[in-house]
């Protein structure tokens, strides 16, 4: 063996006990042949590094000093977890409403019926159909009167023109009839304006009625939620189970149900009062307009039309129903539930 092949051997125990440098834990992003388990030194150093990062004062997700794990944890606690909890609670409530509605239609669940409100709800739905028909008929009548006024005006204009070319024996007849037709046409236009204004006011009442029905649908959705939790509570109580959670949900739904009932009753009361006042004013004005039209008094007809408009302007303030419902949190929730109830009914 030559001198170049000689291998020096160290007899120092300390040097022999020194471990070789630790290789990286992983040389690629995949666990495969190149994966190497971290050494004991690396595992001991990792918590220290994480602790140093976690001990920082910054908790902002956008802080560059935060690790990816800390950012994910912060996002989960501050954004994802609260949003998921709210979504889960709303989903359970929607499912309770849908399940109760389905069971009621199938005859598998009891239903709370308010003997004071239910007849009024049925009446409102019937009135909605009747008011729609009234508005359509009034609109058709206004078109008819307008067409008649234009036809009479055209006839009067032709008669007046003929009075200028006919001989003296019939010239006066044509002129008199022509003037009568023109005056009658003007009276018809006044009646047309009165009928059109009346139809506009009826459309406003119809819109307010539909807004009231939306509040009613919100109340019915809250009632379904109450009945759903009530049925669950009664079932668990009959089965001798732990009813604390079910009872808490039932009592909370009952409180919401009573609040929605009071708001709905106030809404119906305000709508009936404002509707009666508006109808009295408009019917009185319309009858006066017809009376003045039949008498041929165009000046009085114009005054009757102005009286109708003045009465409508005096009552043009927003209905108390709308302001009351918007200011009530329980009814605002009921209005949102009404849209949900419409969606549920459509899907069913």
């Amino acid at each position: 063996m030559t001198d170049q092949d000689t291998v020096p051997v160290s007899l120092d125990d300390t040097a022999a006990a020194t471990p070789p440098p630790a290789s990286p834990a992983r040389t690629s992003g995949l666990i495969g042949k190149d994966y190497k388990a971290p050494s004991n030194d690396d595992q001991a150093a990792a918590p220290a590094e994480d602790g140093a990062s976690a001990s920082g004062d910054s908790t902002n997700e956008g802080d560059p000093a935060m690790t990816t794990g800390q950012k994910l944890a912060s996002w989960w606690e501050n954004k994802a977890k609260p949003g998921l909890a709210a979504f889960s609670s709303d989903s359970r409530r929607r499912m309770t409403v849908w399940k109760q509605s389905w069971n009621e239609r199938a005859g598998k669940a009891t239903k709370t019926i308010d003997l004071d409100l239910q007849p009024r709800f049925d009446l409102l739905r019937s009135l909605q159909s009747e008011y729609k028909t009234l508005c359509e008929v009034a609109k058709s009548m206004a078109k008819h009167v307008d067409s008649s006024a234009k036809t009479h005006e055209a006839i009067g204009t032709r008669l007046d023109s003929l009075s200028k070319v006919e001989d003296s024996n019939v010239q006066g007849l044509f002129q008199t009839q022509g003037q009568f037709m023109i005056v009658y046409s003007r009276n018809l236009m006044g009646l047309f304006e009165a009928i059109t204004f009346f139809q506009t006011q009826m459309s406003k009442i119809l819109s307010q009625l539909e807004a009231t029905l939306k509040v009613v649908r919100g109340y019915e959705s809250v009632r379904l939620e109450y009945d759903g939790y009530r049925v669950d509570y009664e079932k668990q109580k009959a089965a001798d189970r732990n009813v604390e959670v079910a009872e808490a949900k039932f009592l909370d739904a009952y409180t919401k149900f009573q609040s929605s009932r009071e708001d709905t009753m106030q809404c119906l009361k305000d709508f009936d009062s404002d509707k009666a006042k508006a109808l009295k004013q408009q019917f009185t004005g319309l009858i006066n307009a017809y009376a003045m039209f039949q008498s041929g008094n165009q000046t009085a007809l114009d005054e009757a039309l102005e009286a109708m408009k003045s009465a409508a302007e005096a009552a043009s303030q927003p209905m108390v129903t709308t302001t009351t419902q918007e200011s009530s949190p329980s009814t605002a929730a009921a209005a949102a539930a009404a849209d949900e109830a419409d969606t549920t009914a459509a899907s069913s």
Side-chain angles (χ1 to χ4, degrees), residues 52 100 115 119 145 177 234 261 272 303 314 345:
Q100 178 66 20
L115 298 180
V145 173
Q177 291 298 321
E234 291 174 351
R261 182 180 184 276
D272 290 341
E303 291 177 355

Side-chain angles (χ1 to χ4, degrees), residues 144-203:
H144 172 72
V145 173
D146 181 48
S147 176
S148 179
K150 293 178 180 178
T151 303
H152 280 80
E153 182 181 10
I155 293 176
T157 302
R158 295 280 70 80
L159 291 174
D160 186 66
S161 298
L162 285 171
S163 68
K164 298 177 182 179
V165 297
E166 281 285 354
D167 56 59
S168 58
N169 294 330
V170 295
Q171 185 177 13
L173 294 175
F174 277 100
Q175 186 175 8
T176 302
Q177 291 298 321
Q179 291 178 354
F180 170 78
M181 289 294 180
I182 291 176
V183 172
Y184 189 76
S185 171
R186 292 173 182 172
N187 289 341
L188 281 174
M189 288 303 299
L191 182 62
F192 163 74
E193 292 181 7
I195 296 174
T196 301
F197 188 78
F198 173 80
Q199 184 262 329
T200 302
Q201 297 304 307
M202 294 303 101
S203 297

Side-chain angles (χ1 to χ4, degrees), residues 21-262:
S23 59
R26 187 182 302 177
T27 58
S28 68
L30 301 175
I31 298 178
K33 296 181 179 179
D34 58 348
Y35 177 79
K36 296 181 181 180
S39 63
N40 295 333
D41 295 339
D42 294 336
Q43 293 178 352
E49 295 176 357
D50 292 340
S53 300
S55 62
D57 296 337
S58 175
T59 58
N60 187 9
E61 290 184 31
D63 191 348
M66 296 179 64
T67 64
T68 303
Q70 290 174 334
K71 291 181 180 179
L72 289 175
S74 176
W75 170 80
W76 172 257
E77 291 293 334
N78 299 329
K79 296 182 179 179
K81 193 174 181 180
L84 186 61
F87 175 78
S88 178
S89 176
D90 186 65
S91 298
R92 285 194 297 268
R93 187 186 66 81
R94 288 172 179 264
M95 180 59 66
T96 300
V97 171
W98 181 86
K99 180 181 178 182
Q100 178 66 20
S101 176
W102 179 266
N103 289 337
E104 287 181 3
R105 295 179 184 180
K108 298 179 180 180
T110 57
K111 174 182 178 181
T112 300
I113 298 178
D114 194 314
L115 298 180
D116 294 331
L117 291 180
Q118 193 61 43
R120 302 179 68 179
F121 294 165
D122 297 336
L123 177 61
L124 279 179
R125 295 185 178 95
S126 177
L127 287 178
Q128 182 184 25
S129 176
E130 294 295 336
Y131 271 96
K132 284 182 178 179
T133 304
L134 175 62
C135 291
E136 292 174 358
V137 173
K139 187 176 182 180
S140 176
M141 184 177 182
K143 290 182 179 179
H144 172 72
V145 173
D146 181 48
S147 176
S148 179
K150 293 178 180 178
T151 303
H152 280 80
E153 182 181 10
I155 293 176
T157 302
R158 295 280 70 80
L159 291 174
D160 186 66
S161 298
L162 285 171
S163 68
K164 298 177 182 179
V165 297
E166 281 285 354
D167 56 59
S168 58
N169 294 330
V170 295
Q171 185 177 13
L173 294 175
F174 277 100
Q175 186 175 8
T176 302
Q177 291 298 321
Q179 291 178 354
F180 170 78
M181 289 294 180
I182 291 176
V183 172
Y184 189 76
S185 171
R186 292 173 182 172
N187 289 341
L188 281 174
M189 288 303 299
L191 182 62
F192 163 74
E193 292 181 7
I195 296 174
T196 301
F197 188 78
F198 173 80
Q199 184 262 329
T200 302
Q201 297 304 307
M202 294 303 101
S203 297
K204 289 183 178 180
I205 293 177
L206 177 61
S207 298
Q208 293 165 349
L209 190 152
E210 291 174 345
T212 305
L213 281 176
K214 185 175 182 180
V215 175
V216 170
R217 290 194 297 271
Y219 162 82
E220 291 178 340
S221 179
V222 173
R223 196 271 308 164
L224 284 170
E225 181 182 357
Y226 160 74
D227 277 338
Y229 287 123
R230 175 183 58 79
V231 171
D232 291 341
Y233 169 70
E234 291 174 351
K235 288 182 179 179
Q236 294 191 25
K237 187 176 181 181
D240 294 332
R241 298 177 182 175
N242 187 0
V243 296
E244 293 182 359
V245 177
E247 184 179 11
K249 292 181 178 180
F250 164 65
L251 293 177
D252 181 66
Y254 176 78
T255 303
K256 186 189 299 185
F257 173 62
Q258 289 296 324
S259 178
S260 177
R261 182 180 184 276
E262 293 176 0

